[in-house]
Amino acid sequence: DSGVTQTPKHLITATGQRVTLRCSPRSGDLSVYWYQQSLDQGLQFLIQYYNGEERAKGNILERFSAQQFPDLHSELNLSSLELGDSALYFCASSETPRGTDTQYFGPGTRLTVL
Amino acid sequence: AQTVTQSQPEMSVQEAETVTLSCTYDTSESDYYLFWYKQPPSRQMILVIRQEAYKQQNATENRFSVNFQKAAKSFSLKISDSQLGDAAMYFCAYRSNNAGNMLTFGGGTRLMVKP
């Protein structure tokens, strides 16, 4: 158990819908990262937050957005869902954004878009 | 942009034997970190080992060790005394110490362990 929690574990929805994925980082970790793992794209970085502020953006679609709240939990919002958005979405956390800090991954949320 | 390449989609090893997984990366930076993550069927991402680019000594963690060749931009993982529980997907990952600190992953190598 990494200490990072993600809810829900599984999500099944239809095209065009909107969903919210939730992540709680390890106690004391201020930085949160979101990654997407799909068959087509492999594992890729989406977005990073540090202490409530967006820190870095990767290959995140405009239909996707995220935020980190004052209690440090983070949410990833996916809208106008398409079949290709079906993937495993991971949240990871680290104490700070420093490269020396290990990123610990949550168990992931499996999103299926029908 | 940095890229990470794992040229072996699948590998197999006999239980108790040794196997080496390959990884190459491309970067123009000098300050970075390299990682191997294990993803078992549960899909959890588990850190296996990390290497700081400024360290010449290869990292080791019990049965896991790396061969880090900075000039060649190569970072292979050696698993000794392979166990059935080592069967998983293994991902090589790169992380800059300068920009963003996100992980850039390779495509993964599926390791099968034969009893």
Side-chain angles (χ1 to χ4, degrees), chain A residues 33 35 37 45 48 90 97-103 105-107 110, chain B residues 33 37 39 43-45 47 50 91 95-97 100-103 105:
Chain A
Y33 309 77
Y35 294 88
Q37 185 176 27
F45 167 73
Q48 176 196 5
F90 284 108
R98 285 197 309 265
T100 51
D101 291 349
T102 297
Q103 290 185 26
F105 280 75
R110 164 79 63 190
Chain B
Y33 300 83
Y37 278 87
Q39 187 178 41
R43 297 293 194 174
Q44 177 76 47
M45 294 292 288
L47 178 64
R50 60 179 274 167
F91 292 95
R95 186 181 184 189
S96 167
N97 200 30
N101 307 121
M102 71 288 289
L103 291 164
F105 288 92

Side-chain angles (χ1 to χ4, degrees), chain B residues 46-70:
Chain B
I46 302 165
L47 178 64
V48 175
I49 198 164
R50 60 179 274 167
Q51 174 78 43
E52 291 85 351
Y54 64 85
K55 287 188 179 177
Q56 292 189 342
Q57 187 172 5
N58 289 322
T60 62
E61 284 289 343
N62 301 313
R63 298 182 295 107
F64 298 87
S65 62
V66 298
N67 184 5
F68 174 47
Q69 302 288 328
K70 191 172 183 178

Side-chain angles (χ1 to χ4, degrees), chain A residues 45-94:
Chain A
F45 167 73
L46 295 178
I47 197 164
Q48 176 196 5
Y49 281 82
Y50 174 60
N51 208 17
E53 300 289 325
E54 182 183 302
R55 178 95 173 179
K57 251 182 177 177
N59 297 322
I60 188 166
L61 300 171
E62 285 192 11
R63 301 183 284 107
F64 297 0
S65 65
Q67 58 184 130
Q68 186 179 28
F69 294 87
D71 67 351
L72 301 176
H73 90 272
S74 178
E75 292 181 357
L76 179 66
N77 300 297
L78 316 176
S79 62
S80 302
L81 285 168
E82 302 175 359
L83 295 177
D85 298 328
S86 295
L88 186 57
Y89 291 84
F90 284 108
C91 169
S93 73
S94 64

